[in-house]
Amino acid sequence: MAPRLQLEKAAWRWTETVPPEAVAQEHIEAAYRVRLEPCQRGACRRNCRGNPNCLVGIGEHVWLGEIDENSFHNIDDPNCERRKKNAFVGLTNLGATCYVNTFLQMWFLNLELRQALYLCPSACSDGVPKDTDYEPQSICEHLQYLFALLQNSKRRYIDPSAFVKALGLDTAQQQDAQEFSKLFMSLLEDTLSKQKNPDVRNIVQKQFCGEYAYVTVCNQCGRESKLVSKFYELELNIQGHKQLTDCITEFLKEEKLEGDNRYFCETCQSKQNATRKIRLLSLPCTLNLQLMRFVFDRQTGHKKKLNTYIGFSELLDMEPFMEQKNGVHVYELSAVLIHRGVSAYSGHYIAHVKDPQTGEWYKFNDEDIEKMEGKKLQLGIEEDLAFLQELVERDNCKFEEWCNEMAEMRKQSVARGKIKHEEVKELYQRLPAEAGSPYDFISLEWLQKWLDESTPPKPIDNTACLCSHGKLHPDKISLMKRISEYVADFFYRRYGGGPRLNVKALCKDCVVERCRILRLKNQLNEDYKAVTNLLKVTVKGNDGFWVGKASLRSWRQLALEQLNEQDEDAEHSNGKMNGNAQNKDESNEEKREEEEELNFNEDIVCPHGLPNTLGCWADSPCHGSVPAGDLCISESERRVVSREAWEKLKQYFPKAPEFPNNTECCSQCKLLEREGEENEALHKMMASEQKTSLQNLFHDKCRPCLGSWPQETDELYIVSQFFVEEWRKFVRRPTRCSPVSSIANSALLCPHGGLMFTFASMTKEDSKHIALIWPSEWERIQKLFVVDHVIKITRMQGPDAEGTHYTSEPQLCPECREGLLCQQQRDLREYTQATVYVHKVVDNKKVMKDAAPELNVSSSEAEEEREENKPEGEQDPDFNQANGGTKRQKLSQQSYITYQTQGIRRSTRHRKVRGEKALLVSANQTLKELKIQIMHAFSVAPFDQNLSMDGKLLSDDTATLGSLGVIPESVILLKADEPIADYAAMDDVMQVCLPEEGFKGTGLLGH
């Protein structure tokens, strides 16, 4: 099928020969493309939007091909959640609880520990009512229930959330597995110590507890001091070692106590050189060896992970390491806990555990359990689970009920899908409308949703494709499809909606109007040439009309827009199509903007004759005859055209304002023009007089300075700097700016009438608020302006130069001045979303050019890298101040005077330079939060950042920026340390920034 635009042109080609009054039914059907040939399956790669009879590629392939039962539902097979035969049960990871899951699996496969926990009596040993859920009351009961489920559950994995909640663990926080093991074993031992059965009470000590002694031997007298201690694991240093036995040897290595570290011998009664070592006295049934991979890095102040390779065999003979060599101490490897990841602050824990019954190894990874190698697994149920078995069976029954329910839902969905499949298949076969048979138009979008099994169709809504006459708009035909009346009846009975669009919905009025517009468009080019030739003819006498020059330049474009206006209005008038609402607000907004643009010949209508907000002329009824309005007074914006040219233009703009060439201009505009000319002349005269009287003030030349009091006078006057700036604007552009008639010095005074500034502050930070006036200038100012308050500074000279002091009229108000300073300080300490600048330095060298103004700055990283390779000669004064050097450059008093004398105004705004980045901060955010922002801006980890400001190091991460003295526009210096080996992901760096709280606040610490 031809492309949509070609079909569009073909549908209206008849308008070239048929006038609007001759439009017949055959032309209407051609416009609605009723007689186009339908497309055949296989001939179209996609649906033809321009052909309403093309019903290919609308989603029917799903229903016409092979039946896939899985497409009729979105329910996973419940058997995927079922435990496989002779397989272990996994544990759900609740976020970051993999370290808990691995230990639970290791403890579960310790048969002695599991059997002892099963023997522990429970508060619900007599049974739990069937209508209530079992809620364990202690850690032992939680562990009992978990072990029972891990042993006999039919689920592929179980949820340990009740156990984790009972311990008060944060499921989103990754914790140290070794610390968790220590604390939980201590908690379990304490809980079991209250049991009467010794097999239960002593299980932790029996399985995991050994003894060693710290032995110190005096080198002088040979006295041996021994301190016996229990241990539950041996913490082995792995740095510098390759084999596990080497780590154990270092753990038991003899240590010399010499010098300041000498040992006080009770026999010698003095400090003596000695040796100290650890002797293993007894070992537990299960030996727990902790490889110390997470160590503290003194350079960064944070933990890091050692990824050193450590080799070990499946058998470990501990006899060489024992104090008494008369026993057998051979251990068989039963479990390995593995941390995946290069960082100490992130990663994932898994466990490789050997099944004690079969000797085969399994990898436990939360919900997933993988058999590593070996023989077939045979799980025994030799333990007497007592009431726990009943709880497990109850959970298994719930699981079976859930599986049956899911299977039934899948079955019902498949049955409904098959029924719909046959129904859709039949209806699609009858969907095309045969030639000469009754038909309906229906939305293509709705048809696609009907064929989309994932979205149940809504009631049919055809309101979006209606024209202003309530029938089918011919421009919407690309969104519609023509279907048989039989299928349309079925759709409306089943889904409802409307209105129905059958053969009676073809709109003759719209087709006739479109025919007229298309014919006018074709005629437009010929009329444009004719009008262009007529404009070359000089109009004589009064037989002509005024037309705006701007309108004449764009009249063809305006005509095209006006011809399309009705079609655009039709598009904007519709609200939604099948529930998908178009943005009516945006359409109306665009329409209002278009209405605000001037129409043809409105560019020569004066403001008193423009249309009002309703789009009607102010002095005419709506939709009536168009009045002439008021002609503008500017003849340069209009010209006279002949009557013949005007008549041709009126065909396209029948409502355009009409001005014969003898029309008078607007009387109000003439009056305003005369008044404006008089006012402009008056303002120019005022500006010239004021500029002549105050020439130095206007040019900012020869200005007095408080820091260097002029010798020729003892009095200076003060006005607001705002007045001076506004007055200069008026003098520069008297015709565009309003004249300044008064001086409001009240802005410089407090409510009590006192001055708000001290003499010292007016020479420095407050100088930007005031302007100093010579006495001779003040006399002229009083004649030219109305002054509300006179402010004067007087120099009082004593007998010698040191006795000189200055007084002000009015005098300083100390209370209000103090309040102003407090408010300024408070504003500096309570800011939000203020800008500070971070300036990176490398080895005391600049990363940017000090003099580069921000207009010439390039923020590209390539340029920043080039700046880092600059010669060593360019030292950074900002960074040197941190080392006791000079502070950030400021204008000295002498240079300040020089600038004032020359009339050069220095901007107080910070000028951003290359290598510097602006950050938005608030006073109440901490230094640590600022470091995180700097990390994202400069890719420097927080623990590698050395920050300083005005020579002061910023080191307290918990302090707020306000308390550290960081104010808006501050410049903070950043010096980055050399990065350590590698930072894992940026996530790890974020973890480093957070305070380490470990298991604080959890049940493992008794909270």
Side-chain angles (χ1 to χ4, degrees), residues 56-81:
V56 177
I58 59 176
E60 75 285 353
H61 63 281
V62 177
W63 307 95
L64 302 182
E66 293 291 332
I67 300 178
D68 182 9
E69 293 187 356
N70 290 326
S71 64
F72 295 140
H73 61 79
N74 56 357
I75 305 171
D76 293 331
D77 186 359
N79 289 318
C80 294
E81 303 299 311

Side-chain angles (χ1 to χ4, degrees), residues 586-597:
E586 291 184 4
S587 302
N588 294 335
E589 184 72 23
E590 293 174 1
K591 192 172 179 180
R592 283 195 296 270
E593 291 177 0
E594 291 173 1
E595 289 175 353
E596 291 174 1
E597 297 179 1

